[in-house]
DNA sequence: TTGTCTGTTATATAATTGATATAACAGTTA
DNA sequence: TAACTGTTATATCAATTATATAACAGACAA
C-alpha cells in the first residue's frame, strides 16, 4: 500500500509519481502491470481524483505508463523510456545543489557516493524505509 | 557574477541560496567573506529586496551565513555546519526519487555514480556550466 | 547633528500552484 | 440499461512566489 505524507512540502501528486517510479525501479511493478483507476486509487489514498490524475498525466507524458481510454492504466508494456540527453541534463541540474551542500558541509566525495550507493541498494531491494 | 533563470520553475530565492552554497563548495566564497547587502544584491540581480532577504534568512537559519544588524552579511567565520543526522535524512529523501528514476530508465549503478562524481568535480573546480 | 547605510518588519497586491469539489461527456463492458 | 473508464470543464480555497512601499532602529561618516 502506498503511503503518502500529507504534511510534506512535496506535493501529493509528486509523491505519488515518485512512489510509482520507485515501484518500477524495485521491480515491484513491471511492464504491462495494471494500475488502479484514478477514482479507486484516490479513494484508497483518501485524496482527490484530480490529484491522482495529475500524477498519471505526468507519468504518461514521460512514457512511463500507458492510458487506454476505457481499458485502464498500465505500466508501459514496451519498457521504460531511455535516459536521453535531455533527461541527463535535468538530472544533473537537480543533483548539483544537493551535492554542493553536502560538500559545503564537509562530506567527502567517497562518503557522498557511498550514500548514493546505499540508497540505490535500498531501492532495488524495494525498501520503503518510510 | 551570479546568473539567475527567471523563467525556471525553481524559485528565485532558492536559486540564489543554491548559488551561494555552490560558491562556498567551490571555495570561491570562504568563511568570513562578506556578501552584498540585500538592497545592493537585489539591484545587481534585478530582483526584489525581499527575495534576496528570503534567501539570506534561509542561509542564516542553516548557520551558513552570519548577519550582523548594521555590519553586514558574512559567510560563517567559524566554518560550515556539520552534516548531522537530520541533514543526512533530508539529503537521502531528496536523492531517492532522482536515483529511482535513473534506475527506472535503465541507467546502471556505476553510470549514475559516475555522473555524481563528475558533478562533484565540476563543483570543486567552480564550473558554472550554465 | 545630519545624512546615509544596514537588516528588519509590516502591509498590500498579483500571479501561480496545489488540492478539493461537482458535474458532465464518451466509450466500454457486464 | 447500468456501472465503469479516462477526460474535460468549472469553481473554490489556501498557500507560495515575487513584487512594491513604507517605516523603524542602530551604526557610521561627514
Amino acid at each position: 500500500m502506498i503511503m503518502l505524507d500529507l504534511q510534506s512540502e512535496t506535493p501529493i501528486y509528486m509523491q505519488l509519481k515518485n512512489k510509482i517510479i520507485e515501484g518500477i525501479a524495485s521491480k515491484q511493478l513491471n511492464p504491462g502491470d495494471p494500475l488502479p483507476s484514478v477514482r479507486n486509487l484516490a479513494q484508497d489514498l483518501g485524496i482527490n481524483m484530480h490529484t491522482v490524475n495529475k500524477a498519471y498525466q505526468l507519468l504518461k507524458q514521460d512514457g512511463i505508463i500507458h492510458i487506454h481510454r476505457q481499458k485502464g492504466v498500465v505500466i508501459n508494456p514496451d519498457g521504460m523510456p531511455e535516459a536521453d540527453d535531455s533527461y541527463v541534463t535535468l538530472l544533473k541540474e537537480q543533483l548539483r545543489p544537493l551535492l554542493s551542500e553536502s560538500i559545503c558541509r564537509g562530506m567527502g566525495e567517497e562518503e557522498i557516493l557511498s550514500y548514493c550507493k546505499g540508497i540505490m541498494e535500498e531501492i532495488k531491494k524495494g525498501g520503503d524505509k518510510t
Side-chain angles (χ1 to χ4, degrees), chain A residues 17-28 123 126-128:
Chain A
K17 182 191 172 210
N18 288 338
K19 293 283 186 184
I20 292 173
I21 289 176
E22 200 175 316
I24 299 173
S26 69
K27 300 200 184 276
Q28 291 174 336
I123 292 170
D128 281 313

Side-chain angles (χ1 to χ4, degrees), chain A residues 51-66:
Chain A
T51 306
V52 176
N53 190 250
K54 189 165 184 177
Y56 278 5
Q57 287 301 321
L58 292 176
L59 290 166
K60 174 186 168 189
Q61 278 180 27
D62 289 344
I64 292 175
I65 65 175
H66 277 185

Side-chain angles (χ1 to χ4, degrees), chain A residues 104-117:
Chain A
C104 192
R105 294 180 107 108
M107 291 175 63
E109 187 170 314
E110 313 88 21
E111 191 180 357
I112 296 172
L113 292 175
S114 167
Y115 276 124
C116 291
K117 217 167 179 173

Side-chain angles (χ1 to χ4, degrees), chain A residues 90-101:
Chain A
L90 188 64
L91 175 65
K92 285 184 178 176
E93 281 174 10
Q94 293 176 289
L95 283 173
R96 176 178 276 259
L98 300 182
L99 301 179
S100 287
E101 183 162 358

